[in-house]
Amino acid sequence: NQSTGFHKHEYDYVVVPCKTGQLNIITDNENMTSDLVIHQPYHRKKGVEHEVVYNGDSFMEFIEIEIKSFEDLIKICEQKRN
């Protein structure tokens, strides 16, 4: 099994699946499944709290892109320089 561990998203984000497969999504209130389809992106708003578990035979692969403001990007660049 692969797991992200329980976490909270601090930014809006987009997920781009690199494989097709089914994920188990665990929140404080419920457990549900989510079907990922290769190259079919989806987005969620910041504040989402969950654990994502993949029970497939191989590794699940996806790209997650956090949507940050220009000001946030400047702060991140400044922190990396120090």
Side-chain angles (χ1 to χ4, degrees):
N1 293 358
Q2 297 174 352
S3 171
T4 61
F6 194 82
H7 62 281
K8 180 178 181 178
H9 289 269
E10 300 296 330
Y11 299 95
D12 294 350
Y13 64 100
V14 175
V15 173
V16 183
C18 300
K19 294 174 109 177
T20 295
Q22 189 173 73
L23 302 176
N24 295 315
I25 312 297
I26 302 164
T27 69
D28 284 338
N29 301 321
E30 63 182 322
N31 294 346
M32 61 191 117
T33 58
S34 177
D35 293 319
L36 297 187
V37 178
I38 189 169
H39 303 150
Q40 290 189 9
Y42 64 90
H43 74 281
R44 299 287 183 264
K45 294 289 188 182
K46 70 179 180 179
V48 171
E49 295 183 74
H50 60 198
E51 177 180 7
V52 179
V53 178
Y54 178 63
N55 295 315
D57 294 333
S58 63
F59 288 99
M60 174 48 70
E61 298 175 24
F62 56 85
I63 300 167
E64 185 173 287
I65 304 162
E66 292 182 330
I67 310 300
K68 298 180 179 181
S69 69
F70 183 71
E71 291 79 14
D72 287 333
L73 290 175
I74 290 171
K75 289 178 193 173
I76 290 167
C77 290
E78 288 174 350
Q79 289 173 354
K80 291 188 183 243
R81 278 188 257 165
N82 297 330

